[in-house]
Amino acid sequence: GGPIQLIAAGRDESIPLQTIRNFVAAADANRIDYHLLQEATHTLYEVPAMGKLSFRLLRNWLLDLWPEP
């Protein structure tokens, strides 16, 4: 398996935080990049600052995996 990025929302109405924590605990720690955004909702973009932060996290993670030429 390859790398995994998981961005969890602290105020998620759809997926309980414990479900995310269970996934993180079961995953290979060397493969996972985990972030908990305490103020974010399930969509991540409902709170504009959380949307921007989640986008930056995703972008930086992808650039680390595949640097720009």
Side-chain angles (χ1 to χ4, degrees):
I4 300 167
Q5 184 182 57
L6 184 59
I7 301 174
R11 296 184 356 200
D12 197 319
E13 322 80 29
S14 301
I15 303 172
L17 188 53
Q18 189 58 51
T19 300
I20 303 300
R21 288 182 175 142
N22 292 344
F23 180 85
V24 170
D28 178 351
N30 294 319
R31 292 179 49 212
I32 196 159
D33 178 48
Y34 171 65
H35 302 275
L36 173 60
L37 306 184
Q38 290 288 350
E39 298 302 315
T41 60
H42 182 75
T43 61
L44 297 178
Y45 297 97
E46 189 174 318
V47 178
M50 295 297 100
K52 290 178 184 177
L53 178 55
S54 65
F55 178 81
R56 272 197 312 271
L57 291 169
L58 175 60
R59 181 183 181 279
N60 292 342
W61 181 71
L62 290 170
L63 287 174
D64 284 346
L65 293 175
W66 297 287
E68 294 183 51

